[in-house]
Amino acid sequence: MPAPRAREQPRVPGERRPLLPRGVQGPRRWRRAAGAAVLLVEMLERAAFFGITANLVLYLNSTNFNWAGEQASRAALVFLGASYLLAPVGGWLADVYLGRYRAVALSLLLYLAASGLLPATAFPDGRSSFCGEMPESPLGPACPSPDCPRASPSPYCAPVLYAGLLLLALAASSVRSNLTSFGADQVMDLGRDATRRFFNWFYWSINLGAVLSLLVVAFIQQNISFLLGYSIPVGCVGLAFFIFLFATPVFITKPPMGSQVSSMLKLALQNCCPQLWQRHLARDHQGACLLPDQRSPQPGASPQEDIANFQVLVKILPVMVTLVPYWMVYFQIPEAWLLLANVVVVLILVPLKDRLIDPLLLRCKLLPSALQKMALGMFFGFTSVIVAGVLEMERLHYIHHNQTVSQQIGEVLYNAAPLSIWWQIPQYLLIGISEIFASIPGLEFAYSEAPRSMQGAIMGIFFCLSGVGSLLGSSLVALLSLPGGWLHCPEDFGNINNCRMDLYFFLLAGIQAVTALLFVWIAGRYERVSQGPASHSCFSRDRG
């Protein structure tokens, strides 16, 4: 009896599939090769990204530019924020005009050109070519009083560097939002389990690139030279671009599906503001009554598909928005501990999840959906900050009873509690488990539930919301650092012994607990609606 054949995925008009060799194992082997190429490109891109951000503040503080600490920190925050907030732009461009393959290729090319600005300005001739000569500080009379205002000069080479960093942020965000779904497209024909495993190893590749960059590139930048240290990210992006082009013959490429944004806006306006919609119809009665595919002979989504996709978007967005407080908690953890330790924990846990945890959950029929795994990840995020708060209470107990030891880091002497560093292992372990259950299934959910014509935009929104969570966390820290706040302790000069970090951690735990309950309710409602009769109608969304 012949073996059953795998169900073939529906073809998209204009889709290009590689010419595979004959034989049963041919398609599977080439699909795996395409997925592996995407993973390698992602690892190299992440190594370049973290290589750029790791010591950007130190680079701008150096004698190359002599930026003040506040100016350098502001530039680094602008770059990091833009690299998240611009993610929907790259996804939308891929959905509407470029397609994911061309969007990734052009983004890598822009990445390569923009990243070359940093090593080019690391030596005097390059700086003078891009920025002109560094202005000398004018000598003036001494300030008559310590409180007199001083005008802070404009930082040297600021227009060029800000323009380059914003182009880098646009390229990085476009690669992030499109390469994820493009890689999942390569293995989608192999089944749902192959897609799940791809997201596991995709996330592992992200963290592998991060750890290589933090261990090697950051060390070279701090101890050898910025010229060599910033040349390595350029080489990583160039190699990633070459691998992506070299693997083109085995890639599945899908054409852009066209824009449904205008139709979505019309539907939202019609549902939310019917009076305003009637005024719009009165001004443009002939054209406004028709959707784009009715006015144009070009193929496009039908009105029923527009409505179905709009309904899907309305259901997906609340699920993704309730993840924002989780990201707010998550991005505060590396600031309190070491980012590298968290990355190493994830590198260890992802293979265990792929080889042991996921098959065990599948056999036991536990946590069958991505939403249920995300809820479990939120629970582990809650426990991680509870453990952090308890440990901080214990540390402050030693401090307040003068049971301290002197610890010198660099040129600063700190009064530290006599606690072993191994007490932090539970925190790292719990936040790592939280990450593999919340973030990886979150990527899978954003890819599998989005309409095919909006996959890039939805994936971009997913990454954008994680950046929003980071900004909200930073805003919370700034608020609590004001006079009277838990984190206001200027007399410590870098120590936090008079701050109430324990209360801050418990506040994060409370925020996470409330939003986790809200997420469980929204996710349960989403699954009930998705399993209802309406989800099986002929105009249900065309998932990727």
Side-chain angles (χ1 to χ4, degrees):
M1 181 177 180
R5 298 177 60 185
R7 187 173 65 179
E8 184 177 356
Q9 295 290 335
R11 294 291 296 272
V12 178
E15 178 183 6
R16 189 199 69 79
R17 291 175 178 260
L19 296 176
L20 300 176
R22 293 183 178 180
V24 178
Q25 298 299 325
R28 183 174 294 272
R29 183 171 65 250
W30 286 93
R31 294 297 93 239
R32 288 177 175 173
V38 171
L39 296 181
L40 187 55
V41 170
E42 177 63 17
M43 183 197 71
L44 291 169
E45 187 275 327
R46 287 291 89 186
F49 180 82
F50 284 101
I52 291 170
T53 59
N55 289 311
L56 183 59
V57 173
L58 293 180
Y59 181 55
L60 298 177
N61 280 150
S62 67
T63 55
N64 294 333
F65 300 97
N66 288 328
W67 284 26
E70 180 183 357
Q71 295 169 338
S73 298
R74 187 184 303 119
L77 289 174
V78 167
F79 172 65
L80 286 173
S83 67
Y84 283 100
L85 299 181
L86 293 177
V89 176
W92 178 77
L93 288 174
D95 289 338
V96 179
Y97 300 111
L98 301 174
R100 282 191 278 273
Y101 172 81
R102 282 189 291 177
V104 173
L106 292 176
S107 298
L108 287 173
L109 190 60
L110 176 62
Y111 211 138
L112 183 62
S115 61
L117 176 66
L118 295 175
T121 56
F123 61 97
D125 291 340
R127 283 194 301 278
S128 60
S129 298
F130 281 98
C131 312
E133 297 296 331
M134 181 181 294
E136 297 181 359
S137 300
L139 296 177
C143 187
S145 65
D147 297 331
C148 66
R150 290 184 174 88
S152 58
S154 176
Y156 170 63
C157 200
V160 174
L161 286 176
Y162 269 105
L165 291 175
L166 288 177
L167 288 177
L168 269 174
L170 177 62
S173 63
S174 180
V175 171
R176 182 187 288 120
S177 58
N178 289 301
L179 190 61
T180 312
S181 51
F182 180 78
D185 289 342
Q186 308 309 310
V187 300
M188 185 177 63
D189 290 349
L190 302 181
R192 188 177 183 87
D193 184 67
T195 304
R196 174 191 59 77
R197 297 193 65 191
F198 168 80
F199 282 111
N200 285 338
W201 291 106
F202 186 86
Y203 208 78
W204 190 83
S205 300
I206 291 175
N207 285 272
L208 180 61
V211 73
L212 292 177
S213 181
L214 293 173
L215 286 177
V216 179
V217 181
F219 176 83
I220 292 175
Q221 291 169 349
Q222 292 181 13
N223 298 280
I224 299 179
S225 71
F226 282 109
L227 176 59
L228 179 59
Y230 276 121
S231 298
I232 296 176
V234 178
C236 289
V237 177
L239 182 58
F241 184 62
F242 172 77
I243 292 173
F244 191 78
L245 294 183
F246 183 77
T248 298
V250 300
F251 282 152
I252 293 175
T253 59
K254 298 179 180 180
M257 301 295 293
S259 174
Q260 289 184 315
V261 174
S262 58
S263 300
M264 296 292 179
L265 292 176
K266 288 181 180 180
L267 289 170
L269 184 64
Q270 187 176 2
N271 291 330
C272 300
C273 307
Q275 295 180 352
L276 187 60
W277 173 252
Q278 291 297 331
R279 295 176 186 174
H280 176 71
L281 288 178
R283 287 196 302 266
D284 189 13
H285 180 70
Q286 295 180 350
C289 296
L290 300 177
L291 289 171
D293 63 312
Q294 294 174 306
R295 297 197 300 267
S296 173
Q298 296 178 354
S302 67
Q304 292 85 355
E305 289 173 327
D306 284 331
I307 294 174
N309 288 338
F310 176 72
Q311 292 172 345
V312 172
L313 186 63
V314 169
K315 290 189 295 183
I316 289 177
L317 284 181
V319 176
M320 299 174 68
V321 168
T322 48
L323 275 176
V324 170
Y326 168 78
W327 293 119
M328 186 178 73
V329 172
Y330 169 78
F331 279 109
Q332 297 309 300
I333 301 300
E335 294 180 5
W337 308 322
L338 297 176
L339 175 62
L340 185 59
N342 174 251
V343 171
V344 171
V345 169
V346 172
L347 286 177
I348 296 173
L349 290 178
V350 168
L352 290 177
K353 177 180 183 293
D354 184 72
R355 298 292 184 178
L356 181 62
I357 299 175
D358 284 343
L360 180 62
L361 293 176
L362 187 61
R363 285 196 301 268
C364 298
K365 297 182 180 180
L366 297 174
L367 304 177
S369 70
L371 292 176
Q372 293 173 351
K373 294 183 178 70
M374 293 160 67
L376 181 63
M378 288 186 174
F379 170 76
F380 280 108
F382 165 78
T383 57
S384 68
V385 286
I386 287 291
V387 171
V390 172
L391 183 60
E392 178 65 11
M393 287 180 61
E394 185 67 16
R395 190 188 72 85
L396 291 176
H397 175 78
Y398 282 99
I399 297 295
H400 294 157
H401 288 79
N402 294 323
Q403 300 176 12
T404 61
V405 294
S406 298
Q407 183 178 11
Q408 185 169 356
I409 301 178
E411 298 180 354
V412 182
L413 187 65
Y414 295 92
N415 294 322
L419 290 170
S420 172
I421 193 174
W422 301 110
W423 281 104
Q424 299 186 55
I425 288 180
Q427 305 167 8
Y428 296 127
L429 185 60
L430 287 169
I431 197 62
I433 296 174
S434 165
E435 190 174 355
I436 66 171
F437 276 110
S439 187
I440 298 177
L443 290 173
E444 183 182 354
F445 172 80
Y447 171 79
S448 61
E449 297 299 310
R452 179 178 295 166
S453 59
M454 301 180 66
Q455 276 183 333
I458 294 295
M459 195 66 69
I461 291 174
F462 178 86
F463 289 114
C464 176
L465 290 177
S466 64
V468 171
S470 176
L471 293 176
L472 287 177
S474 300
S475 301
L476 179 61
V477 171
L479 179 63
L480 295 178
S481 299
L482 295 175
W486 293 335
L487 303 183
H488 180 71
C489 43
E491 66 276 7
D492 276 351
F493 300 102
N495 282 299
I496 57 173
N497 293 336
N498 290 328
C499 296
R500 294 305 306 271
M501 286 289 295
D502 54 337
L503 298 180
Y504 170 65
F505 282 128
F506 291 142
L507 175 62
L508 291 180
I511 294 173
Q512 181 65 92
V514 172
T515 53
L517 293 176
L518 180 62
F519 177 84
V520 169
W521 179 76
I522 292 177
R525 188 171 179 269
Y526 180 90
E527 290 187 333
R528 286 193 300 271
V529 173
S530 299
Q531 294 171 1
S535 63
H536 303 288
S537 65
C538 59
F539 294 115
S540 63
R541 65 186 177 278
D542 184 10
R543 297 181 182 179

